[in-house]
């Protein structure tokens, strides 16, 4: 367990004493949300594009404790860091205790300038929570690069670990004041291990994390990011000019990587996704959120250009039918 913790810390770019191994992002983020000392009237800044399970945890505290959620309005896509930071800053008040930053938004693959938002937040004494479910082991960064206080991620996504493996980061000086959801005998200690009191858990799944990190390191974080972005650019460049197709993901590498979402005018995202699966045997994810009603395409390092060409052919055919 401790060897795996150290390997994760090395990959994440932080101390092993700031890393807790858990089951997924939801567990990590709820540990943060439910463990923070918050009172009625305290504000947390979020966006409408944050993952539903993350918002569920905060909305429960809203009902239970009377905290207030302030929503940042975002467009999809956005490629202006200053504008994104400005919209977050506009929601900060003297009552704001924390801000949730979804590093990569799952609906469209939009990357947010987490460090720049964190800087503005810290200047106002606001704690910074990062949801890195889709960015960790996907785009190259170290946790220290983000200047956050808390971070959660799933290891089964881009690191290719088994289901039931996740990671929670808590800055060392924040651990003592974070109450565990499942307490041990010292819930107010400054030992990160107090956040791992899950009872019996899967040792084989946890041990597989080490092998997944080895595989990731053989490829290399930078090389992996570049490959993933290349795959996204490959298929989007071939369909972006089709008359009925719209891409909802930024092209600037600062704001996107592997994930991209498209829509076809006049068609529901689920309709297109169903056609892709049933007629073309291509698995995608339908997206319906705010102004986005389309299909998310998620290539990984094992995705071939042959399969992306099949996708391009399918989108072209679907877009040309009534």
């Amino acid at each position: 367990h401790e060897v795996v913790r150290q390997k994760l810390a090395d990959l994440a770019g932080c101390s092993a004493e700031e890393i807790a191994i858990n089951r997924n992002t939801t567990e990590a983020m709820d540990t943060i949300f439910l463990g923070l000392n918050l009172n009625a009237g305290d504000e947390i800044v979020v966006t409408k594009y944050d993952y539903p399970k993350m918002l569920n945890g905060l909305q429960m505290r809203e009902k239970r404790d009377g905290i207030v959620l302030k929503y940042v309005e975002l467009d999809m896509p956005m490629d202006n860091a200053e504008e994104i930071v400005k919209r977050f800053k506009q929601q900060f008040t003297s009552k704001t205790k924390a801000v949730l930053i979804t590093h990569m938004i799952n609906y469209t693959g939009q990357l947010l300038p987490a460090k720049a938002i964190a800087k503005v937040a810290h200047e106002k004494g606001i704690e910074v929570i990062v949801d890195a479910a889709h960015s960790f082991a996907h785009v190259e960064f170290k946790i220290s690069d983000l200047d956050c206080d808390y971070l959660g991620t799933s290891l089964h996504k881009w690191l290719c670990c088994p289901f039931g493996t996740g990671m929670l980061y808590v800055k060392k000086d924040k651990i003592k004041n974070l109450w565990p959801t499942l307490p041990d005998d010292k819930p107010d200690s400054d030992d990160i291990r107090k956040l791992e009191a899950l009872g019996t858990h899967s040792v084989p799944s946890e041990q597989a994390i080490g092998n997944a990190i080895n595989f990731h390191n053989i490829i290399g974080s930078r090389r992996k990011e570049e490959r993933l972005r290349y795959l996204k650019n490959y298929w989007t460049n071939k369909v972006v000019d089709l008359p009925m197709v719209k891409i909802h993901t930024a092209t600037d590498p600062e704001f996107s990587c592997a994930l991209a979402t498209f829509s076809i005018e006049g068609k529901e995202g689920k309709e297109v996704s169903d056609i892709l699966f049933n007629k073309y045997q291509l698995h995608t994810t339908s997206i319906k959120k705010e102004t986005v009603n389309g299909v998310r395409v998620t290539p990984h390092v094992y995705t071939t250009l042959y399969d992306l060409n099949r996708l391009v052919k399918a989108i072209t055919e679907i877009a040309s039918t009534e």
Side-chain angles (χ1 to χ4, degrees):
H1 187 89
E2 295 306 319
V3 172
V4 173
R5 188 196 310 278
Q6 186 60 59
K7 290 188 78 166
L8 266 174
D10 291 342
L11 178 62
C14 62
S15 166
E17 296 302 315
E18 299 173 311
I19 292 289
I21 300 169
N22 58 19
R23 290 173 291 190
N24 50 48
T25 309
T26 302
E27 183 172 78
M29 302 303 282
D30 278 340
T31 299
I32 300 164
F33 299 151
L34 303 182
L36 290 173
N37 288 304
L38 297 171
N39 300 309
D42 288 346
E43 296 175 356
I44 308 291
V45 172
V46 298
T47 83
K48 293 179 180 178
Y49 284 100
D50 293 327
Y51 197 66
K53 285 186 173 62
M54 308 309 129
L55 292 175
N56 289 346
L58 288 171
Q59 287 165 351
M60 187 182 83
R61 290 214 66 173
E62 196 174 30
K63 290 180 179 180
R64 189 182 72 183
D65 302 316
I67 70 166
V68 178
L69 299 186
K70 302 283 290 297
Y71 291 87
V72 176
E73 296 285 346
L74 295 176
D75 304 318
M76 289 293 136
M78 295 186 76
D79 58 5
N80 184 321
E82 289 184 5
E83 177 62 23
I84 296 171
V85 173
K86 175 184 173 184
R87 294 194 188 186
F88 273 87
K89 188 176 180 179
Q90 286 172 340
Q91 296 300 325
F92 295 162
T93 73
S94 59
K95 295 181 180 180
T96 307
K97 300 300 180 183
V99 56
L100 171 60
I101 305 170
T102 301
H103 195 196
M104 178 178 279
I105 292 170
N106 77 292
Y107 299 108
T108 65
Q110 172 79 46
L111 270 168
L112 296 181
K115 184 175 183 178
I117 298 168
K119 182 177 185 295
V120 173
H122 281 147
E123 287 171 355
K124 295 181 175 292
I126 298 167
E127 292 191 306
V128 177
I129 306 165
V130 172
D131 175 350
H134 268 294
S135 61
F136 188 74
H138 176 174
V139 293
E140 185 183 37
F141 71 93
K142 299 296 184 185
I143 290 179
S144 56
D145 296 337
L146 305 184
D147 194 25
C148 61
D149 301 297
Y150 312 91
L151 179 144
T153 192
S154 296
L155 304 179
H156 69 264
K157 293 183 184 295
W158 297 95
L159 193 57
C160 299
C161 295
F163 288 121
T165 54
M167 182 184 82
L168 167 64
Y169 161 85
V170 182
K171 195 174 181 180
K172 184 60 180 176
D173 63 357
K174 302 288 182 180
I175 297 172
K176 184 175 177 58
N177 292 324
L178 187 69
W179 296 99
T181 307
L182 302 172
D184 64 2
D185 60 335
K186 296 178 181 177
D188 55 351
S189 80
D190 65 354
D191 188 339
I192 193 71
R193 293 160 189 80
K194 74 178 184 180
L195 303 173
E196 295 179 338
L198 304 176
T200 304
H201 60 282
S202 174
V203 174
S205 293
E206 183 181 296
Q207 292 303 306
I209 296 171
N211 286 328
I213 293 173
N214 291 341
F215 179 67
H216 175 90
N217 287 338
I218 287 170
I219 299 172
S221 294
R222 174 58 59 85
R223 191 173 171 209
K224 182 175 178 179
E225 175 183 341
E226 290 175 349
R227 176 64 179 178
L228 291 171
R229 185 173 289 109
Y230 167 78
L231 294 173
K232 183 262 293 180
N233 290 341
Y234 181 86
W235 75 266
T236 55
N237 287 340
K238 291 179 180 296
V239 302
V240 67
D241 292 327
L242 293 175
M244 307 293 283
V245 173
K246 180 179 180 180
I247 304 294
H248 298 269
T249 304
T251 56
D252 189 321
E254 182 182 347
F255 299 100
S256 66
C257 193
L259 299 183
T261 298
F262 76 93
S263 61
I264 296 177
E265 188 177 331
K267 297 183 186 295
E268 291 283 320
K270 188 177 186 311
E271 176 190 359
V272 176
S273 183
D274 286 347
I275 295 171
L276 286 171
F277 186 77
N278 295 324
K279 183 176 179 180
Y280 298 95
Q281 291 73 58
L282 294 167
H283 176 69
T284 55
T285 301
S286 62
I287 298 292
K288 191 169 186 179
K289 184 68 174 178
E290 299 298 307
T291 61
V292 180
N293 187 351
V295 176
R296 192 189 77 196
V297 178
T298 315
H300 212 314
V301 290
Y302 46 75
T303 303
T304 65
L305 297 188
Y306 171 81
D307 287 327
L308 291 180
N309 284 331
R310 289 174 55 219
L311 173 69
V312 169
K313 180 174 182 290
I315 294 172
T316 303
E317 291 179 359
I318 298 170
S320 64
T321 59
E322 292 299 328

